[in-house]
């Protein structure tokens, strides 16, 4: 996609001035100003096309069409009127469930203790020192030169230090994602490398893991139906926007529909 005329863009006879594109750029961070301009232009073009369609359908006064993006309820009303969206049937939901049974389980549980060594992400030198200390602690624990409880009380900055670093049993969502991602994927025992998180480095001991239990279809049916309906809705709206852009007379901008994330 590319801008073919930086002064203005015309959409079905309506002019989008360069000043409007410049004002929109701030909402579209990109590696280069040109990429930001392209994203901004696409957004304004689609907004204008939706506004024109809303005027045509009697949902919007012609004089107000430039503010359609500030009226999400109006956009929703237009799409509800224009886009026919089928809903997932029980049969489709069941097929999805049977094809993804491993996904539908209760959260696994991990009984874990940790020693938190705090380190500011912006202080690279201190962070490197903290990482080295974490490795030293792991080495001492591996060689049974000290107990985990002793090390937790001596080094951890987490309140759990008072109970030997124990966090008890944790499930998904109870701690920060970068910590959980590594801990839940590890085996029982002392983790051989420190776990890095936004707070610093963690020396982690996994005492026990309890796998998640399968959920029945009845318990997840509503969740599956919502997911499938949302997926179909996104596809239907994408196709609708695709048709609008394809049918429009756009001057000053080449809209590469297939590549644009705005209509995907």
């Amino acid at each position: 996609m590319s801008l073919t005329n930086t002064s203005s863009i015309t959409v079905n006879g309506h002019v989008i001035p360069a000043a409007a594109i410049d004002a929109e750029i701030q909402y579209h961070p990109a590696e280069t100003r040109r990429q930001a301009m392209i994203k901004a232009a696409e957004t304004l073009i689609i907004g204008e096309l939706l506004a024109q369609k809303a005027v045509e359908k009697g949902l919007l006064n012609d004089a107000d069409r430039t503010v359609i993006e500030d009226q999400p309820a109006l956009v929703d009303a237009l799409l509800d009127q224009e886009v026919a969206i089928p809903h997932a049937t029980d049969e489709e939901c069941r097929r999805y469930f049977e094809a993804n049974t491993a996904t539908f389980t209760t959260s696994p549980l991990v009984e874990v203790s940790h020693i938190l060594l705090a380190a500011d992400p912006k202080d690279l030198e201190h962070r490197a020192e903290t990482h080295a200390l974490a490795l030293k602690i792991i080495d001492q624990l591996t060689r049974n030169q000290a107990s985990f409880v002793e090390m937790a009380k001596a080094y951890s900055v987490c309140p759990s230090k008072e109970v030997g670093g124990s966090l008890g049993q944790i499930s998904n969502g109870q701690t920060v994602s970068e910590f959980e991602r590594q801990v839940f994927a590890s085996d029982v025992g002392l983790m051989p490398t420190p776990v890095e998180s936004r707070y610093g480095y963690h020396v982690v001991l996994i005492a026990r893991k309890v796998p998640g239990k399968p959920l029945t279809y009845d318990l997840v049916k509503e969740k599956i139906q919502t997911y499938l309906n949302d997926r179909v809705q996104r596809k239907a709206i994408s196709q609708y926007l695709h048709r609008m852009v394809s049918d429009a007379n756009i001057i000053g901008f080449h809209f590469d529909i297939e590549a644009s994330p705005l209509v995907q």
Side-chain angles (χ1 to χ4, degrees), residues 199-234:
Y199 301 114
Y201 288 95
H202 308 253
V203 176
V204 179
L205 175 64
I206 300 174
R208 189 164 65 103
K209 297 184 75 174
V210 180
K213 296 179 180 179
L215 293 169
T216 64
Y217 171 70
D218 287 339
L219 288 174
V220 296
K221 175 185 175 181
E222 187 173 333
K223 180 179 179 181
I224 293 173
Q225 193 170 45
T226 298
Y227 168 74
L228 293 179
N229 286 342
D230 287 347
R231 189 170 68 177
V232 171
Q233 181 183 46
R234 287 194 299 272

Side-chain angles (χ1 to χ4, degrees), residues 25 32 51 119 128 137 169 199 221 239:
I25 284 175
T32 67
I137 291 172
Q169 288 187 343
Y199 301 114
K221 175 185 175 181
Q239 292 172 339

Side-chain angles (χ1 to χ4, degrees), residues 17-35:
I21 299 173
D22 287 338
E24 180 71 20
I25 284 175
Q26 63 182 307
Y27 304 113
H28 303 276
E31 292 183 3
T32 67
R33 176 175 171 79
R34 181 171 180 78
Q35 290 174 340

Side-chain angles (χ1 to χ4, degrees), residues 220-259:
V220 296
K221 175 185 175 181
E222 187 173 333
K223 180 179 179 181
I224 293 173
Q225 193 170 45
T226 298
Y227 168 74
L228 293 179
N229 286 342
D230 287 347
R231 189 170 68 177
V232 171
Q233 181 183 46
R234 287 194 299 272
K235 182 177 181 180
I237 291 173
S238 173
Q239 292 172 339
Y240 174 69
L241 295 176
H242 189 292
R243 289 195 303 272
M244 276 209 311
V245 172
S246 297
D247 295 341
N249 179 19
I250 301 172
I251 301 172
F253 184 84
H254 174 64
F255 208 128
D256 187 347
I257 300 173
E258 300 300 334

